[in-house]
Amino acid sequence: MILGYEGNKAISISGIVVGLIFTILLVYTWLFSYLAKNKNQFILKLPYRTKINVNEPILRAKWRYFQIYQLKGEVQNYSILVILRKKS
């Protein structure tokens, strides 16, 4: 929003570029991230990291189709947003 108001033109090129980069990264993260259970371990895969072994997810918040889980890895803690879909 701020980038749109920084220039004196009607259309801010820098705002469009930043918005485009954000949208591309959002779609890339959406498509290539997952949380899977393998035997007794949970595996978290993020597009910019290798697979990470994490503990069992702890549900922190839930609202309609959205759930927020907390994961503890070997080094870091992660909070992830899960969007549930209807299965057909």
Side-chain angles (χ1 to χ4, degrees), residues 11-79:
I11 298 175
S12 174
I13 301 298
S14 60
I16 292 172
V17 170
V18 169
L20 207 70
I21 291 171
F22 174 77
T23 305
I24 290 169
L25 291 175
L26 180 70
V27 169
Y28 180 71
T29 302
W30 178 284
L31 293 176
F32 295 104
S33 298
Y34 62 86
L35 177 66
K37 184 176 182 180
N38 185 9
K39 298 180 184 175
N40 293 334
Q41 295 180 343
F42 285 88
I43 298 172
L44 175 66
K45 173 64 174 109
L46 299 173
Y48 48 88
R49 301 193 86 184
T50 59
K51 293 180 183 178
I52 306 163
N53 291 328
V54 294
N55 67 341
E56 188 170 343
I58 300 169
L59 181 64
R60 291 295 178 192
K62 182 178 179 180
W63 183 73
R64 297 193 184 202
Y65 298 110
F66 302 100
Q67 295 177 346
I68 298 176
Y69 288 97
Q70 183 176 7
L71 306 169
K72 292 185 181 179
E74 296 174 4
V75 179
Q76 275 182 289
N77 293 337
Y78 301 93
S79 294

